[in-house]
Amino acid sequence: MQYQKLTVRGLLGRAKRVLTMTKAPDKIKNIEEAMAVFENWLEENGGGAANKNAKTSGDEEKVETVPGLGFKDKAAAEKSLKILEGRDPDYQRLAVKGLIGSSKRVLSGTKDPKKIEDIKEGVKVLEDFIEKFDSENRSRLNRAYLAADIVAQFPKPSDKLSAEFVKVYTEKKNYKHLRTLYPKDDEETSWDIVRNKHVKDLEKVIKEKGKKYFDDDGKPTEEHLSLIYWAYSPQPDKVKSYLEKKEGKGEKRKSSENGDSASKKKK
């Protein structure tokens, strides 16, 4: 599996380089469709690199694919878009691109005129989604996940739902698992959708009330901490710096205490 991932990443890298040198619209479209297939495969097999702030381990368990996605006709395509609503924007684009790429392969081996017509209608719905997605630049709405080990370094939240999310996320570590896991009291809305809604609502409140993300000492404010519990921060590097400084002070204090103890024993 590791070799397969390495090979697919290599092909994806080559495709990106070729894309920068290609000007023909039809070739660009073909390359982008092929890249979507590679990216989708990496996502499904736990080897994606779409999120810069979330690390994955080589021996992590396989990520389950979001069920119900399809393109066999217009209804199936519309159902797919409904299933993807509220999920990470970058994943929405990746999943739809993957469906379009898969449809091309299915079409090439289909002879039934009715099936071909149905699939083309479904693909049209998906292509319209991608066109609108890109024109509105929805990728800017993506909220990259803070790594689970960063979230785990903060005190446990008092809010029941946030606490449950933190527990699930820090146990699974890979944010992609959140797409097929659900809160105990909600078997219909997956954790990634719940997370994105809370992040959106919290950001709105912070903006409307003019709240800060850090206090004068560089510590995350209470409002910012509420976001961190949902594995998000608009300033992740500053959060990391705060934790590193905190850890450094802790080690320095521990070293000082050990030194005092040794000095007392010597006396």
Side-chain angles (χ1 to χ4, degrees), residues 77 119-129 131:
I119 291 173
K120 286 184 176 180
E121 286 182 357
V123 171
K124 179 67 168 58
V125 171
L126 300 176
E127 289 178 336
D128 287 346
F129 171 85
E131 184 177 344

Side-chain angles (χ1 to χ4, degrees), residues 67 80 84 87 113 214 243 260:
S80 295
L84 292 171
R87 299 182 186 274
F214 295 90
L243 291 173
D260 290 342

Side-chain angles (χ1 to χ4, degrees), residues 54-70:
K55 297 178 181 178
T56 57
S57 61
D59 58 351
E60 65 190 6
E61 60 184 288
K62 191 178 185 300
V63 177
E64 291 184 27
T65 305
V66 173
L69 302 181

Side-chain angles (χ1 to χ4, degrees), residues 159-169 182-184 191:
D159 176 70
K160 181 182 177 183
L161 191 61
S162 297
E164 187 183 345
F165 173 83
V166 170
K167 185 176 185 296
V168 171
Y169 184 47
Y182 301 80
K184 292 178 181 177
W191 270 120

Side-chain angles (χ1 to χ4, degrees), residues 71-91:
F71 54 81
K72 68 176 184 178
D73 53 28
K74 185 178 180 180
E78 290 175 342
K79 180 184 176 183
S80 295
L81 297 183
K82 188 69 178 175
I83 291 172
L84 292 171
E85 274 184 18
R87 299 182 186 274
D88 305 322
D90 282 355
Y91 175 66

Side-chain angles (χ1 to χ4, degrees), residues 226-244:
S226 295
L227 278 177
I228 291 172
Y229 288 140
W230 290 104
Y232 176 68
S233 170
Q235 301 178 52
D237 291 337
K238 201 168 179 180
V239 171
K240 293 176 186 176
S241 296
Y242 162 73
L243 291 173
E244 288 170 358

